[in-house]
Amino acid sequence: MRKTLTWLAVMLLPLVVCGGIYLLGREVTVRNREWTTQMQYSPAYLSQTTNPVLPNHMTGQMPIAGTIARGYQPFHYGASENEAARAGRELKNPFAATVENLARGQYVFANYCAVCHGASGGGDGAIIPKYPNPPSYKTETSKNVPDGAMFHAITLGRKDMPAHAAQVGVDDRWKVILYIRQLQGK
Ligand code: HEC
């Protein structure tokens, strides 16, 4: 029994010594040896890396001129009053005043507009008079502002009215106009 153990120890000794030397000498800042690299690295180019094949050496190519992202609706109007008037002539509200659309418009109005324009559109929101009064929606002037011009005001802003394109989506802008019309009794 003792003899067997001695032999076992003698035979394992080289392994222990070699392993120890290997571990002590191992450079820990570099990667280990890799045996199965087949699935470790993808042959496809990553989108943000340089590319020897495609134009401009870019893997992610620029969109073709005139490309529009899915769902994005371009707005071809500048910020001037003439442009607002042109929007008023050219743009029509694509939504009908259904119960759902009005409910959505009311929701948007309560969240983004009422603070200035007032819950009933009287231009007397909670922030007034710290902020300059918006005109009441109930005036004849306001009732005669075409939908497209309102859309222009919401999208790009108008004087003291800040642009709301970033916080209110295109569809919601039209639906809130439906709701404003309802407030105006139209
Ligand atoms: C920070 C305050 C503020 C907020 C918030 C605000 N407005 Fe205004 N809004 C104004 C002011 C001030 C005017 C008047 C601008 C001017 O002098 O032409 C105005 C004008 C308007 C007009 C033109 C009114 C008219 O009779 O021609 C419309 C339409 C309008 N706002 C819609 C909205 C909608 C819709 C929202 C919410 C998405 C909104 N506003 C949020 C302050 C605000």
Side-chain angles (χ1 to χ4, degrees):
M1 184 65 190
R2 221 178 159 169
K3 229 173 171 184
T4 323
L5 278 182
T6 314
W7 271 109
L8 209 65
V10 170
M11 276 158 70
L12 284 178
L13 193 66
L15 205 68
V16 172
V17 169
C18 288
I21 288 172
Y22 172 73
L23 285 179
L24 283 176
R26 188 169 125 56
E27 178 56 79
V28 288
T29 56
V30 297
R31 258 172 186 272
N32 260 320
R33 240 173 271 261
E34 297 162 83
W35 298 111
T36 53
T37 55
Q38 290 95 327
M39 295 182 77
Q40 208 129 314
Y41 302 106
S42 164
Y45 291 102
L46 297 178
S47 47
Q48 305 292 332
T49 56
T50 53
N51 191 301
V53 187
L54 291 175
N56 301 328
H57 303 293
M58 303 191 307
T59 302
Q61 292 286 297
M62 299 301 283
I64 295 165
T67 309
I68 294 171
R70 184 177 296 203
Y72 174 74
Q73 298 176 35
F75 186 68
H76 299 293
Y77 296 91
S80 69
E81 281 187 24
N82 283 341
E83 288 289 273
R86 186 165 73 86
R89 287 191 302 276
E90 294 174 356
L91 298 179
K92 293 274 166 289
N93 196 333
F95 294 100
T98 61
V99 175
E100 293 87 49
N101 288 345
L102 282 170
R104 179 67 194 172
Q106 179 172 23
Y107 176 83
V108 173
F109 189 84
N111 280 286
Y112 293 105
C113 322
V115 60
C116 292
H117 285 273
S120 68
D124 52 356
I127 205 173
I128 309 299
K130 279 194 197 140
Y131 198 81
N133 253 69
S136 165
Y137 289 140
K138 311 283 169 67
T139 63
E140 283 310 308
T141 329
S142 184
K143 286 180 188 174
N144 289 329
V145 174
D147 284 0
M150 281 202 173
F151 187 85
H152 186 279
I154 304 167
T155 306
L156 297 179
R158 212 185 84 183
K159 293 184 199 160
D160 290 327
M161 155 98 188
H164 278 70
Q167 50 277 58
V168 182
V170 171
D171 291 0
D172 278 351
R173 274 173 248 161
W174 287 119
K175 289 175 187 171
V176 79
I177 291 171
L178 292 177
Y179 182 67
I180 292 173
R181 295 305 183 202
Q182 192 186 52
L183 289 178
Q184 292 176 329
K186 271 194 157 178

